[in-house]
């Protein structure tokens, strides 16, 4: 096996799992919205997936460090095949109702959280194995994520129009199965797993606390978490409720919804690919701030004023391209600052906190639409996004972005 074979395997597994997840993120809200007509119920279903996702990701860190990220990824992706596959099966049997769909979506979130965290925690080891700069690997991973999102979104629109939202999820189950096989065959056990500390639950709690105490002492990580958590809530409202309702109210179908997602994600892929090539030479803080400004408020405003489709697609291309630079920068900063013995715990907690408000994004978006109307909801959330994105200009904690820090020195300090 060549040094770069594990990276290829991780790239393929990420492509499959992310594209499948994007498919479900379009299919499930459309299923609920088309059958109930309720933005609030659509937001509730989104919350039922994202809340356990966040909690499971946070609590799964010690298990990743104990059992190894490879084993966790395989177990969770394999179980996801069953959970996701239940939706098309029950729909085919005419047994799928909201009381049944909600626990299934809950299980999907529980399984996706540790799986995503495990794959993310593999990145520093794979970068070291391939002997390439961390920014380059995170940029490539970011480009893969955007490519998979674009393919999943475009495929979701076509599949929903062809076979319906519930049956489209059968493809999602297949992508999880393929990802589990690829991780099992193509990725070695990159870190030696360690024995659990004595004390059972108390030992597990100590390990979790170690990750928490490390993270909260790092001002850069705390600043990033606060900003990203806020923008993630707004993005979730946008993707899960605001945009589907706009699409339906404007007389369009799921094909356009999938195309809107695909255009944004496709432009993001290009941005992430460029970040992979020049990421280690970019002024991180400047690029981070400008990218957030371009990808946030304009995207909400263009839908709020009901712009023509050419203008909408132009804004989505610009915002998507800018967003492609964000995750490679954030991930490189994160991995540089975390020592390997704490990698699973800290990356899991960091990701969980960044996603902590996402479960409520759909509910907030649905409530604003019901109370104030779609256009006002879009404008309010757009201005909230703008306020969040100027944070790097106001807080000194972000100055640490451009200073690379040795994780080993952090551990010893």
């Amino acid at each position: 096996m060549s040094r770069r074979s594990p990276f290829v395997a991780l790239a393929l597994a990420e492509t499959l799992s992310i594209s499948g997840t994007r498919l479900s993120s379009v299919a499930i809200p459309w299923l609920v919205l088309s059958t109930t007509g309720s933005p609030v119920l659509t937001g509730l279903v989104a919350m039922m997936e994202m809340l356990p996702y966040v909690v499971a990701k946070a609590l799964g860190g010690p298990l990743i460090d104990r059992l190894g990220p490879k084993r966790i990824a395989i177990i969770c992706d394999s179980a996801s095949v069953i959970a996701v596959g239940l939706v098309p099966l029950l729909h085919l049997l005419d047994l799928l109702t909201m009381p049944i769909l909600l626990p299934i979506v809950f299980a999907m979130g529980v399984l996706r959280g540790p799986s995503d965290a495990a794959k993310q925690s593999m990145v520093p080891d794979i970068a070291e194995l391939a002997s390439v700069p961390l920014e380059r690997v995170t940029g490539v991973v970011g480009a893969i994520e955007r490519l998979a999102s674009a393919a999943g979104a475009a495929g979701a629109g076509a599949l929903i129009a062809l076979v319906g939202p519930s049956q489209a999820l059968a493809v999602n189950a297949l992508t999880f199965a393929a990802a589990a096989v690829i991780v099992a065959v193509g990725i070695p056990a990159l870190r030696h797993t360690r024995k659990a500390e004595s004390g059972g639950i108390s030992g597990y709690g100590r390990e979790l606390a170690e990750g928490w105490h490390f993270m909260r002492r790092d001002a850069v990580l705390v600043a990033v978490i606060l900003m990203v958590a806020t923008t993630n809530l707004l993005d979730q409202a946008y993707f899960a409720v605001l945009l589907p309702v706009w699409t339906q109210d404007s007389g369009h179908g799921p094909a356009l919804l999938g195309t809107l997602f695909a255009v944004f994600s496709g432009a993001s892929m290009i941005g992430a690919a460029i970040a992979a090539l020049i990421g280690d030479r970019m002024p991180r803080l400047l690029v981070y701030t400008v990218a957030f400004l371009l990808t946030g408020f304009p995207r909400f405003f263009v839908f709020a004023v009901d712009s023509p489709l050419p203008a909408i697609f132009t804004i989505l291309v610009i915002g998507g391209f800018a967003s492609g630079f964000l995750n490679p920068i954030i991930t490189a900063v994160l991995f540089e600052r975390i020592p390997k013995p704490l990698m699973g715990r800290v990356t899991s907690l960091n990701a969980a906190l960044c996603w902590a408000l996402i479960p409520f994004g759909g509910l907030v978006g649905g409530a604003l639409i019901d109370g104030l109307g779609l256009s006002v909801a879009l404008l309010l959330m757009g201005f909230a996004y703008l306020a969040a994105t100027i944070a790097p200009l106001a807080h000194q904690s972000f100055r640490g972005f451009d200073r690379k820090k040795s994780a080993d020195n952090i551990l010893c300090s």
Side-chain angles (χ1 to χ4, degrees):
M1 180 183 292
S2 70
R3 290 188 308 170
R4 300 199 176 185
S5 294
F7 173 70
V8 173
L10 178 62
L12 289 173
E14 283 279 73
T15 300
L16 288 165
S17 61
I18 292 171
S19 60
T21 298
R22 173 58 71 184
L23 190 157
S24 68
S25 71
V26 176
I28 291 177
W30 192 265
L31 172 65
V32 177
L33 189 60
S34 61
T35 55
T36 68
S38 171
V40 173
L41 282 178
T42 303
L44 175 63
V45 171
M47 185 188 77
M48 285 296 292
E49 180 178 9
M50 295 313 305
L51 186 59
Y53 175 93
V54 170
V55 174
K57 178 174 277 192
L59 298 180
L63 290 178
I64 293 172
D65 287 333
R66 287 184 182 188
L67 303 178
K70 174 178 177 177
R71 186 178 301 177
I72 294 297
I74 293 170
I75 292 171
C76 291
D77 283 349
S78 299
S80 293
V81 176
I82 300 172
V84 177
L86 282 174
V87 177
L89 176 61
L90 292 173
H91 183 268
L92 186 65
L93 298 174
D94 200 24
L95 297 174
L96 188 64
T97 62
M98 282 295 294
I100 293 176
L101 178 62
L102 289 176
I104 292 175
V105 169
F106 184 93
M108 290 166 59
V110 169
L111 294 169
R112 273 185 53 217
S115 175
D116 287 354
K119 293 188 185 78
Q120 184 186 37
S121 71
M122 295 178 187
V123 171
D125 289 309
I126 288 178
E128 184 177 342
L129 187 63
S131 299
V132 296
L134 186 58
E135 290 93 344
R136 188 162 301 169
V137 176
T138 58
V140 172
V141 170
I144 289 168
E145 178 184 348
R146 305 302 183 176
L147 172 62
S149 294
L159 279 172
I160 292 169
L162 182 64
V163 300
S166 62
Q167 298 306 317
L169 290 170
V171 176
N172 191 189
L174 293 176
T175 60
F176 278 120
V181 171
I182 290 172
V183 170
V185 174
I187 297 179
L190 294 170
R191 287 198 300 278
H192 292 295
T193 57
R194 56 187 176 79
K195 295 182 179 179
E197 293 183 8
S198 60
I201 296 298
S202 62
Y204 178 92
R206 283 194 297 272
E207 294 175 33
L208 199 62
E210 286 177 8
W212 167 256
H213 290 311
F214 171 85
M215 187 174 60
R216 72 180 179 85
R217 289 195 299 264
D218 192 305
V220 172
L221 296 185
V222 172
V224 171
I225 288 168
L226 292 174
M227 180 175 176
V228 174
T230 302
T231 56
N232 276 347
L233 179 145
L234 300 169
D235 280 329
Q236 176 68 3
Y238 171 86
F239 286 114
V241 180
L242 297 175
L243 199 50
V245 171
W246 179 91
T247 303
Q248 189 179 65
D249 287 355
S250 60
H252 299 289
L256 177 64
L257 180 62
T259 302
L260 293 171
F261 287 147
V263 167
F264 185 84
S265 297
S268 295
M269 177 193 67
I270 297 173
I274 294 174
L277 294 175
I278 63 173
D280 54 334
R281 301 191 298 274
M282 292 189 301
R284 287 177 176 174
L285 182 60
L286 175 63
V287 174
Y288 175 88
T289 305
V290 172
F292 256 123
L293 289 170
L294 290 176
T295 196
F297 175 74
R299 179 162 42 97
F300 288 81
F301 179 79
V302 75
F303 287 103
V305 299
D306 204 21
S307 300
L309 284 177
I312 288 173
F313 281 116
T314 299
I315 292 297
L316 290 180
V317 168
I318 295 172
F321 177 79
S323 74
F325 289 83
L326 292 173
N327 280 351
I329 292 174
I330 294 170
T331 308
V333 170
L334 176 69
F335 286 145
E336 283 175 0
R337 307 180 76 85
I338 303 173
K340 285 188 178 181
L342 299 178
M343 187 63 67
R345 282 163 281 175
V346 179
T347 56
S348 296
L349 283 169
N350 177 84
L353 290 172
C354 286
W355 286 53
L357 299 179
I358 288 180
F360 309 103
L363 284 179
V364 172
L368 285 176
I369 292 172
D370 275 357
L372 302 173
L374 178 60
S375 294
V376 175
L378 282 162
L379 282 174
L380 285 176
M381 291 206 151
F383 280 114
Y385 210 116
L386 181 61
T389 54
I390 63 175
L393 304 178
H395 295 285
Q396 292 185 351
S397 298
F398 283 93
R399 302 299 182 266
F401 251 54
D402 289 319
R403 296 193 299 270
K404 295 188 177 183
K405 194 170 183 181
S406 168
D408 293 332
N409 290 338
I410 296 173
L411 185 60
C412 296
S413 62

